[in-house]
Amino acid sequence: IGAFGKKLEQIDAVGDVEGVVVPCANCRATFEDGMFEHDRDDDFEVFGLVQLVADTLDMAKKPAKDA
């Protein structure tokens, strides 16, 4: 099954996963390659940790919309 296959089993065991966060650009590329190799590249989104933090900080700067 290989190491990446095991990782996919762990993700599947969690349930309805919308995305996975990886710590670096190399990890993201490797993870996305593994998803492609296992024909799972459309199952969920892969986020880089730095981009996730940057997006969160950017959202915090924006004023809240009135409900």
Side-chain angles (χ1 to χ4, degrees):
I1 187 169
F4 193 79
K6 183 65 176 172
K7 183 57 63 187
L8 288 175
E9 283 182 354
Q10 292 170 337
I11 291 169
D12 290 341
V14 170
D16 189 26
V17 174
E18 294 179 20
V20 174
V21 178
V22 294
C24 70
N26 286 338
C27 297
R28 182 177 181 161
T30 301
F31 201 94
E32 289 175 339
D33 288 346
M35 289 176 58
F36 179 79
E37 290 295 320
H38 284 82
D39 206 20
R40 304 271 310 261
D41 45 326
D42 292 326
D43 287 5
F44 47 84
E45 194 167 352
V46 180
F47 300 96
L49 179 60
V50 172
Q51 188 61 49
L52 183 65
V53 170
D55 290 349
T56 302
L57 291 173
D58 188 47
M59 287 178 15
K61 289 182 189 177
K62 295 179 182 176
K65 293 182 180 180
D66 294 330

